[in-house]
Amino acid sequence: MALTIRGLSKTYPNGVVALKNLSLSIGNNMFGLLGPNGAGKSSLMRTIATLQEPDAGSIDLDGINVLTQKDAVRRILGYLPQEFGVYPKLSATDMLNHLAILKGVAVVAERKEMVEALLQQTNLWQVRKKALSTFSGGMKQRFGIAQALLANPRLIIVDEPTAGLDPAERNRFLNLLSSIGRDITVILSTHIVDDVRELCSRMAVIAAGKVLLEGSPAEALTALDGQIWSRIVATDDELRGLESQFQIVSTHLVSGQHEIRVFSASSPGTAFRAVPPGLEDVYFLTLSRNNKN
Ligand code: ADP
């Protein structure tokens, strides 16, 4: 599968510029779209999912013109939006059955088999008869994946799916995504760096409607090899002094003390130790370089 996005722009009627001449190529497996809130991720996802129009640009999905051949796209696309509405009183089985009818799965036996297989796959079999309103956040998101998988899509888009999940639910959800990502293309939009680190073989960082970085997490990490340094800083004054001297990537509190991470081609001093780069370093540096431009 190949999704090619060229020169996509979108300004909302209130004047907010959400996408600025954005181009991106997405191939097979799991693709991470990482960016802060307001970066334009949902705008991009909704445009690919044929739910809104851009002002300019093109999107091609395996030869299908996404902007004009909407029905053809919808037949091969599964979408889990950020705000996912269901009929709360329906059971998981009934809701999936209903959605399968809307997706055009007309044969009863085929539909039953599909719904049951999806309930098994998303680990909702035990609770399939319960009302959706009783589901936890994690169960709702797994149900969201079940409905996105109806009618065998070739591309699945999931928008900020792990926000608000507790660690165990998040883990279960990411495992589910990774198991489906082996067979079909999944675009995972998120502001959580760890989601991308754990799952995605390709990624893009976007901010203010533009692509700032595109590639594999492994390549991005290699590019920073030997250039991330860390030290503990005892006082706020010392921290401020270092901020004016070095390019600080991040500061974290560790047992009440500041641990800073610095980007520097050579050693910034004996108090620092070289540390392996993490994807969070890639992300923060990419965003801060863009802010300076
Ligand atoms: P993200 O998903 O990365 O948080 P969004 O695509 O939701 O980013 O938003 C990008 C920008 O567009 C934000 O400034 C947001 O407030 C604005 N925006 C999103 N949807 C609309 C809309 N329907 N009308 C006006 N502004 C919008």
Side-chain angles (χ1 to χ4, degrees):
M1 204 233 50
L3 182 71
T4 309
I5 299 161
R6 289 280 164 263
L8 214 60
S9 292
K10 174 72 179 178
T11 303
Y12 287 108
N14 63 358
V16 172
V17 182
L19 302 171
K20 281 184 205 157
N21 195 20
L22 182 147
S23 298
L24 200 56
S25 296
I26 296 175
N28 286 331
N29 302 324
M30 188 87 86
F31 188 93
L33 188 73
L34 183 62
N37 287 331
K41 302 183 297 296
S42 293
S43 300
L44 178 60
M45 300 295 98
R46 286 197 299 265
T47 312
I48 301 169
T50 74
L51 300 174
Q52 73 177 49
E53 303 285 334
D55 301 327
S58 66
I59 308 178
D60 179 284
L61 174 61
D62 280 344
I64 300 170
N65 181 335
V66 173
L67 302 180
T68 57
Q69 299 173 270
K70 295 195 167 78
D71 286 342
V73 175
R74 287 171 193 164
R75 275 196 290 277
I76 59 170
L77 175 91
Y79 179 46
L80 175 56
Q82 217 170 344
E83 302 287 331
F84 175 56
V86 292
Y87 299 113
K89 287 191 183 144
L90 285 190
S91 70
T93 302
D94 290 345
M95 185 78 205
L96 270 187
N97 191 51
H98 171 71
L99 292 169
I101 294 170
L102 294 183
K103 279 250 175 180
V105 189
V107 181
V108 176
E110 188 191 340
R111 211 162 57 227
K112 186 165 185 289
E113 193 182 328
M114 183 183 285
V115 166
E116 290 186 358
L118 286 172
L119 289 166
Q120 299 274 14
Q121 191 183 353
T122 53
N123 216 351
L124 292 171
W125 182 252
Q126 305 298 335
V127 292
R128 68 192 181 281
K129 293 179 183 155
K130 293 206 165 134
L132 290 165
S133 59
T134 65
F135 278 19
S136 69
M139 285 154 72
K140 279 192 186 123
Q141 288 305 68
R142 279 184 279 133
F143 179 80
I145 287 295
Q147 64 80 30
L149 284 170
L150 279 168
N152 301 316
R154 295 203 336 251
L155 170 67
I156 290 213
I157 294 176
V158 286
D159 198 356
E160 304 260 358
T162 61
L165 298 190
D166 72 35
E169 283 180 331
R170 175 175 170 273
N171 211 12
R172 206 173 297 142
F173 184 82
L174 293 185
N175 281 331
L176 172 63
L177 269 192
S178 99
S179 70
I180 61 174
R182 281 183 224 125
D183 305 322
I184 48 184
T185 299
V186 179
I187 306 178
L188 167 68
S189 147
T190 183
H191 63 270
I192 301 169
V193 178
D194 282 343
D195 286 355
V196 174
R197 185 177 58 76
E198 288 173 36
L199 288 182
C200 300
S201 53
R202 306 277 305 167
M203 65 179 277
V205 173
I206 77 166
K210 290 182 298 187
V211 175
L212 306 182
L213 177 84
E214 189 177 354
S216 76
E219 281 163 11
L221 289 172
T222 305
L224 288 184
D225 245 351
Q227 300 177 88
I228 301 294
W229 307 80
S230 167
R231 66 169 279 194
I232 298 288
V233 180
T235 66
D236 287 354
D237 278 349
E238 196 178 6
L239 179 61
R240 273 189 288 276
L242 290 167
E243 271 167 355
S244 61
Q245 252 180 299
F246 298 110
Q247 186 176 355
I248 295 187
V249 183
S250 61
T251 67
H252 293 280
L253 279 170
V254 179
S255 309
Q257 288 190 300
H258 296 290
E259 185 187 71
I260 63 168
R261 292 171 79 87
V262 163
F263 172 76
S264 174
S266 56
S267 171
T270 52
F272 287 88
R273 66 191 170 88
V275 287
L279 205 56
E280 208 179 65
D281 300 320
V282 171
Y283 181 54
F284 287 146
L285 273 175
T286 304
L287 293 181
S288 75
R289 282 172 184 161
N290 180 56
N291 286 338
K292 283 199 199 100
N293 291 337

